[in-house]
Coordinates of all heavy atoms in Angstrom, one line a residue:
Chain N
P371 N -14.0 3.2 -7.1 CA -13.6 4.6 -6.8 C -12.9 5.3 -7.9 O -12.8 6.5 -7.9 CB -12.7 4.3 -5.5 CG -12.9 3.0 -5.2 CD -13.4 2.2 -6.4
W372 N -12.3 4.5 -8.8 CA -11.5 5.1 -9.9 C -12.2 5.5 -11.1 O -11.6 5.9 -12.1 CB -10.3 4.2 -10.2 CG -10.7 2.8 -10.4 CD1 -11.1 2.3 -11.7 CD2 -10.8 1.8 -9.5 NE1 -11.5 1.0 -11.5 CE2 -11.3 0.6 -10.2 CE3 -10.5 1.7 -8.2 CZ2 -11.5 -0.6 -9.5 CZ3 -10.8 0.5 -7.5 CH2 -11.3 -0.6 -8.2
K373 N -13.5 5.3 -11.1 CA -14.3 5.7 -12.2 C -15.3 6.7 -11.8 O -15.8 6.7 -10.7 CB -15.1 4.5 -12.8 CG -14.2 3.5 -13.5 CD -15.0 2.3 -14.1 CE -14.1 1.3 -14.8 NZ -13.4 1.8 -15.9
T374 N -15.8 7.6 -12.7 CA -16.8 8.6 -12.3 C -18.1 7.8 -12.1 O -18.3 6.7 -12.6 CB -16.9 9.7 -13.4 OG1 -17.4 9.0 -14.5 CG2 -15.7 10.4 -13.6
V375 N -19.1 8.5 -11.6 CA -20.4 7.9 -11.4 C -21.0 7.5 -12.8 O -21.4 6.3 -12.9 CB -21.4 9.0 -10.8 CG1 -22.8 8.5 -10.8 CG2 -21.0 9.2 -9.4
R376 N -20.9 8.3 -13.8 CA -21.4 7.9 -15.1 C -20.7 6.7 -15.6 O -21.3 5.7 -16.1 CB -21.3 9.0 -16.1 CG -21.9 8.6 -17.5 CD -21.7 9.6 -18.5 NE -22.6 10.8 -18.4 CZ -22.2 12.0 -18.2 NH1 -21.0 12.3 -17.9 NH2 -23.1 13.0 -18.1
E377 N -19.4 6.7 -15.5 CA -18.6 5.5 -15.9 C -19.0 4.2 -15.2 O -19.0 3.2 -15.7 CB -17.1 5.7 -15.7 CG -16.5 6.7 -16.8 CD -15.2 7.2 -16.4 OE1 -14.7 7.0 -15.3 OE2 -14.5 7.8 -17.3
N378 N -19.2 4.4 -13.9 CA -19.7 3.3 -13.1 C -21.0 2.7 -13.6 O -21.2 1.5 -13.8 CB -19.8 3.7 -11.6 CG -18.6 3.3 -10.8 OD1 -18.4 2.2 -10.5 ND2 -17.9 4.3 -10.5
V379 N -22.0 3.6 -13.8 CA -23.3 3.2 -14.2 C -23.2 2.6 -15.6 O -24.0 1.6 -15.9 CB -24.3 4.4 -14.2 CG1 -25.7 4.0 -14.7 CG2 -24.4 4.8 -12.7
A380 N -22.4 3.1 -16.5 CA -22.3 2.6 -17.8 C -21.5 1.3 -17.9 O -21.4 0.7 -19.0 CB -21.7 3.6 -18.7
F381 N -20.9 0.9 -16.8 CA -19.9 -0.2 -16.9 C -20.5 -1.5 -17.3 O -19.9 -2.1 -18.2 CB -19.4 -0.4 -15.4 CG -18.3 -1.4 -15.3 CD1 -17.0 -1.1 -15.7 CD2 -18.6 -2.7 -14.8 CE1 -16.0 -2.1 -15.7 CE2 -17.5 -3.7 -14.7 CZ -16.3 -3.3 -15.1
G382 N -21.7 -1.9 -16.8 CA -22.3 -3.2 -17.3 C -22.5 -3.3 -18.8 O -21.9 -4.1 -19.4
P383 N -23.3 -2.3 -19.3 CA -23.5 -2.3 -20.7 C -22.3 -2.3 -21.5 O -22.1 -2.9 -22.5 CB -24.4 -1.1 -20.9 CG -25.1 -0.8 -19.6 CD -24.2 -1.3 -18.6
E384 N -21.3 -1.5 -21.1 CA -20.1 -1.3 -21.8 C -19.3 -2.6 -21.9 O -18.8 -3.0 -22.9 CB -19.2 -0.3 -21.1 CG -18.7 0.8 -22.0 CD -17.8 1.7 -21.2 OE1 -16.6 1.4 -21.1 OE2 -18.2 2.8 -20.8
M385 N -19.2 -3.3 -20.8 CA -18.5 -4.6 -20.7 C -19.2 -5.6 -21.6 O -18.6 -6.5 -22.1 CB -18.4 -5.1 -19.3 CG -17.5 -4.3 -18.4 SD -15.8 -4.1 -18.9 CE -15.7 -2.4 -19.3

Side-chain angles (χ1 to χ4, degrees):
Chain N
W372 48 87
K373 290 185 184 291
T374 63
V375 167
R376 183 185 283 112
E377 286 168 348
N378 264 283
V379 174
F381 185 77
E384 236 184 78
M385 291 300 115

